[in-house]
Amino acid sequence: MENINLEQYKVFYFVAKNKNITKAAKELMISQPAITQTIQKLEKEIEYSLFFRTKKGMELTKEGEILFSHIKESIECLNDCKGKLDRSKKKEEIIIRIGGGTTLLKHNALEGFKKFKKKYPSTKIEIKKDITKNLFQDLLEDRLDMVFLNMPVADILKEKIKIIPIEEVQDAFLADGSTFSDLKDKEIDGKEIANLPFVLQSEVSSSRKYLDYLCNKNKIHLQQGYELHSYELVIEFVKAGLGLGFINKNHVKKELESGQLIEVKTPFEIPKREIGIAIHKKQENNEYLKEFINMIKK
């Protein structure tokens, strides 16, 4: 009994659990002869027969059942501890591949990056910037782990992709408080809006598509002064007094509080929308992505 080691108990446990030497050998990643020799050595040292063969496989003897009932919990506890240590190590080595537009990554992901890197300093975060359509394709083909996006998205994608809301936002027509001071606290109608100069994002952006939807719904045609590919440039052009912009109020809180920017009120409601993260449904139980997303949620 003094020479019995943990490895012998472990081999015994896996054979008893699987009732099959071949299956136990695969789980333990050792040869079948090695399994047989270990069991024989254990039986010799405790002076009891632990198994008998049947057509179905390996069955426990009465003594084997007693031994199994006593070691089962301990071996499973050790296996669970080993698994947790392995997962902890993987967390330090994990690579998270993220896609999104510059604005969403800056305003919705940056703080999450900081928190995650602080907890797991060795984690690598790879960033890809592109339009949502291309990023979704990368997500479906396992080139990305998550995509930041403006919601909603097409229902056709929801079969394979899970969308997780992370922030509610309110868009509005905003203008420079000095250049357009006459519009402050004034509700303007559709005709007046149509005669004002606008700084707009390009038509491929999600925000522009949402704006076009609202305008079509309310039968408004905007006068376009500038069309820019960068949302950040839209904000800067609006702040410079070059036109009105359709901007997420969360992104310019300081400017609105100081009066540098003002909200131009419209006769129709601009519904709130949500920012979300898309992941492939096969990644729903990925604990690393779950933790990362929880750090980002506002």
Side-chain angles (χ1 to χ4, degrees):
M1 289 292 288
E2 292 179 1
N3 295 324
I4 294 175
N5 58 41
L6 181 61
E7 192 61 29
Q8 289 175 325
Y9 282 113
K10 185 177 177 181
V11 169
F12 165 74
Y13 166 83
F14 277 95
V15 175
K17 185 186 76 165
N18 289 289
K19 297 184 179 181
N20 185 288
I21 289 178
T22 303
K23 290 182 181 178
K26 285 182 179 179
E27 279 201 62
L28 292 167
M29 291 186 290
I30 58 179
S31 68
Q32 293 183 48
I35 295 273
T36 301
Q37 289 173 14
T38 301
I39 294 298
Q40 289 174 346
K41 184 177 180 181
L42 177 59
E43 288 178 326
K44 182 178 179 181
E45 294 192 9
I46 65 172
E47 299 179 348
Y48 286 105
S49 177
L50 298 173
F51 294 97
F52 61 90
R53 291 182 179 274
T54 69
K55 291 181 180 180
K56 293 183 180 180
M58 303 291 286
E59 295 290 340
L60 289 168
T61 61
K62 183 178 178 180
E63 291 77 14
E65 289 177 354
I66 293 172
L67 180 60
F68 185 71
S69 67
H70 280 80
I71 71 163
K72 180 177 181 290
E73 186 176 345
S74 298
I75 296 294
E76 289 177 353
C77 181
L78 289 170
N79 287 338
D80 183 54
C81 290
K82 175 65 165 58
K84 287 180 179 177
L85 289 171
D86 288 343
R87 288 193 293 274
S88 177
K89 182 180 179 182
K90 286 179 182 177
K91 282 180 182 178
E92 295 296 326
E93 299 172 348
I94 192 169
I95 297 174
I96 298 181
R97 303 164 299 168
I98 299 169
T102 303
T103 304
L104 291 177
L105 294 172
K106 174 183 175 182
H107 293 282
N108 297 91
L110 191 57
E111 286 304 312
F113 294 164
K114 291 178 183 178
K115 292 176 186 176
F116 204 80
K117 285 289 287 183
K118 184 176 181 180
K119 187 170 182 179
Y120 307 114
S122 299
T123 300
K124 293 181 181 179
I125 296 175
E126 297 179 356
I127 304 293
K128 181 175 182 180
K129 294 183 288 182
D130 206 336
I131 61 174
T132 302
K133 178 183 176 182
N134 295 342
L135 294 174
F136 270 20
Q137 193 61 39
D138 287 333
L139 186 66
L140 289 169
E141 295 176 6
D142 197 31
R143 291 190 291 269
L144 288 174
D145 297 308
M146 65 173 69
V147 172
F148 284 79
L149 71 153
N150 290 299
M151 297 170 65
V153 296
D155 288 338
I156 192 171
L157 292 168
K158 294 179 181 178
E159 290 183 10
K160 294 183 178 180
I161 290 176
K162 179 178 181 180
I163 308 295
I164 304 163
I166 59 170
E167 182 185 8
E168 188 177 65
V169 300
Q170 178 66 66
D171 299 292
F173 291 118
L174 304 183
D176 172 58
S178 176
T179 308
F180 296 94
S181 58
D182 57 317
L183 298 179
K184 186 176 181 182
D185 299 324
K186 176 186 176 184
E187 183 179 293
I188 57 177
D189 60 28
K191 288 183 180 180
E192 289 177 288
I193 292 174
N195 290 324
L196 291 169
F198 268 83
V199 181
L200 302 176
Q201 256 187 296
S202 62
E203 293 181 358
V204 297
S205 72
S206 299
S207 295
R208 174 61 185 277
K209 289 177 180 177
Y210 181 56
L211 173 60
D212 289 344
Y213 160 76
L214 288 175
C215 289
N216 289 333
K217 182 180 178 182
N218 292 281
K219 297 180 174 57
I220 294 171
H221 178 73
L222 299 181
Q223 178 182 315
Q224 185 170 296
Y226 299 90
E227 182 176 270
L228 306 173
H229 287 284
S230 166
Y231 175 77
E232 298 300 323
L233 275 179
V234 169
I235 294 175
E236 293 306 313
F237 272 50
V238 170
K239 285 162 66 175
L242 297 173
L244 280 69
F246 188 68
I247 296 170
N248 177 349
K249 291 168 68 175
N250 291 3
H251 296 165
V252 287
K253 286 181 180 179
K254 291 181 181 179
E255 290 86 345
L256 286 169
E257 289 171 0
S258 68
Q260 181 182 359
L261 291 179
I262 59 171
E263 181 176 350
V264 179
K265 297 179 181 179
T266 62
F268 58 87
E269 180 185 3
I270 300 176
K272 289 184 178 181
R273 58 188 178 87
E274 289 182 306
I275 303 298
I277 291 176
I279 62 171
H280 199 291
K281 284 193 174 179
K282 67 182 182 182
Q283 293 274 36
E284 282 187 81
N285 296 317
N286 185 318
E287 60 184 276
Y288 315 127
L289 294 187
K290 280 186 191 176
E291 184 170 6
F292 187 85
I293 291 168
N294 284 334
M295 288 182 175
I296 290 168
K297 283 184 176 180
K298 295 185 179 182

